[in-house]
Amino acid sequence: MSSPDRSSPDGASSGGRLLRYVDALCEAFAQEMRRDDSVFLFGLDVDDHKAIQGSTRGLLAEFGAERVFTTPLSEDAMTGVAIGAAMAGMRPIHTHIRMDFLLLCMNQLVNIAAKAHYMYGGAVKVPLVVRSMIGKSWGQGAQHSQALHSMFMHVPGLKVVAPSNAHDAKGCMIAAVRDDNPVIVMEHRLLYPTEAEVPEAPYEVKPGKARIVAPGDDVTVVGISNMVLECLRARELLAEVGISAEVIDPIWLSPLDIDTIARSAARTGRLLVADNGWTACGAGAEIVAQVLERTGDARIAVRRIGFEPTTCPPSPPLEARFYPNPGTVASTVHAMLRPAAAPWQPDPERTRLAHQIQFRGPF
């Protein structure tokens, strides 16, 4: 399985080879742990033989149990351990198998990790990485299918990143490990098998820079996390009916590169944000608001799409309605450009989620 564009997202080619998203993450961990003895990785089952779907495979053997270790199912306490270690000069990488579990440690993340640097007059740094897996899977239902990035985007002092490809997964993770602030890394599990050109040498995809993934003239489409891939598929459907869509990957959600998005929206006159979360008070709302504030152009037509306003159902037919897909992206764009035309729906067989057909779960 591969992402639509198998080349490096930013054209980097030195030492590049096709690598899976999950393997790019593992390579980032290994390279940073070799470079810096203060980096260690822990979390439930990181030393298991399945190794968090392979993202930590081989790390225990190379770095030992003092730097790669499992934890009890006690997210709040373990987050306190991570924050304390970071304040003491270590660089912990705390792994959560599901982002939903971060709700158990919100006080630690919001009231301690995010605020410590400010509260201690800049004397304290919290170089903490929090890994959190998101995404639909195989009917996991209400408590295991959420993406909570908008909650963390709301908090000053936290950085939030959602890489959509293997190249950015490695570069963003390295940048996160080297950052002196707490960083929430959101990894979509359905992206793990996707491939891209990834340089062997360590590199950073630094905070605050979005990427125009595909150019277009009629509408600006922003995809978050795996929605970048689905927006690219929607772009192909739209091209068949004469609509040219520009697709942008924000990569880092906080800090957010609003300038790149605003310039594109001002040029095309239309902006659609396809989120991997609910739309109310979500990342899409923030992006739309910032674009309108930045451009001052009320003529820009804006729309948001994301999860349906309900908890995620475990039933596959209902779950399919819950998540946006290339068809919902394409039909929404079509309605924005041609409001007087009859509603248009692409062929349903071409609108299934990119990895839905092949993904069978991690085990």
Side-chain angles (χ1 to χ4, degrees):
M1 188 185 310
S2 64
S3 56
D5 183 357
R6 294 164 70 96
S7 63
S8 171
D10 63 357
S13 58
S14 58
R17 71 259 120 103
L18 278 179
L19 202 64
R20 296 190 307 161
Y21 189 110
V22 67
D23 297 325
L25 285 171
C26 192
E27 187 170 88
F29 300 139
Q31 290 180 341
E32 287 305 288
M33 293 178 76
R34 292 176 195 134
R35 183 188 66 84
D36 185 347
D37 290 340
S38 70
V39 179
F40 68 97
L41 186 147
F42 73 111
L44 185 66
D45 288 345
V46 300
D47 60 353
D48 182 81
H49 69 289
K50 296 293 185 181
I52 315 296
Q53 302 190 48
S55 63
T56 61
R57 182 169 292 125
L59 299 180
L60 174 62
E62 179 174 354
F63 299 103
E66 290 189 352
R67 296 181 68 190
V68 180
F69 52 91
T70 190
T71 67
L73 189 58
S74 182
E75 289 83 357
D76 192 27
M78 292 303 104
T79 301
V81 169
I83 293 172
M87 289 180 171
M90 303 295 285
R91 290 187 177 272
I93 303 170
H94 191 192
T95 299
H96 292 261
I97 297 174
R98 295 185 182 278
M99 192 173 203
D100 316 75
F101 299 164
L102 295 188
L103 294 175
L104 296 166
C105 44
M106 289 293 277
N107 181 59
Q108 297 271 13
L109 293 173
V110 174
N111 273 333
I112 308 298
K115 295 178 171 65
H117 186 69
Y118 175 83
M119 292 176 65
Y120 292 102
V124 173
K125 299 175 182 176
V126 188
L128 165 65
V129 175
V130 179
R131 295 181 63 200
S132 56
M133 284 109 226
I134 65 165
K136 76 181 299 298
S137 45
W138 52 102
Q140 293 296 286
Q143 297 178 339
H144 295 84
S145 303
Q146 303 167 95
L148 306 172
H149 45 288
S150 62
M151 294 185 182
F152 297 104
M153 291 171 65
H154 185 69
V155 180
L158 293 180
K159 295 182 178 178
V160 184
V161 62
S164 70
N165 57 76
H167 176 276
D168 289 351
K170 177 177 176 179
C172 290
M173 183 58 71
I174 290 176
V177 171
R178 297 179 183 181
D179 201 295
D180 286 335
N181 302 282
V183 180
I184 309 293
V185 181
M186 203 168 68
E187 305 164 13
H188 199 294
R189 62 176 64 87
L190 295 187
L191 292 173
Y192 276 6
T194 62
E195 295 177 325
E197 286 281 338
V198 178
E200 290 187 22
Y203 61 93
E204 295 181 64
V205 175
K206 294 187 175 181
K209 182 59 180 174
R211 177 183 297 114
I212 297 175
V213 182
D217 298 321
D218 297 326
V219 61
T220 300
V221 179
V222 177
I224 293 174
S225 183
N226 76 314
M227 287 309 298
V228 174
L229 299 188
E230 309 304 348
C231 290
L232 287 170
R233 295 180 62 218
R235 181 176 181 269
E236 295 176 358
L237 298 171
L238 289 166
E240 295 175 5
V241 294
I243 295 175
S244 171
E246 182 153 283
V247 177
I248 295 179
D249 182 353
I251 310 175
W252 288 82
L253 300 174
S254 180
L256 179 66
D257 175 12
I258 201 63
D259 290 335
T260 296
I261 301 171
R263 280 195 298 270
S264 175
R267 182 174 59 81
T268 64
R270 303 172 185 87
L271 170 64
L272 169 69
V273 182
D275 196 1
N276 201 314
W278 292 287
T279 55
C281 303
E286 179 63 21
I287 291 171
V288 165
Q290 288 199 35
V291 164
L292 295 179
E293 288 176 344
R294 183 63 56 91
T295 62
D297 188 349
R299 295 172 298 176
I300 297 175
V302 296
R303 289 290 300 272
R304 298 168 289 153
I305 60 174
F307 294 171
E308 289 295 316
T310 180
T311 53
C312 182
S315 159
L318 292 177
E319 189 185 37
R321 296 287 301 271
F322 178 76
Y323 293 101
N325 61 49
T328 54
V329 173
S331 60
T332 302
V333 168
H334 185 271
M336 293 174 71
L337 268 78
R338 299 170 185 173
W344 170 71
Q345 297 288 339
D347 179 357
E349 286 301 313
R350 300 180 62 193
T351 63
R352 302 177 69 184
L353 293 170
H355 315 289
Q356 189 175 22
I357 300 172
Q358 299 181 50
F359 189 71
R360 294 294 183 270
F363 307 115

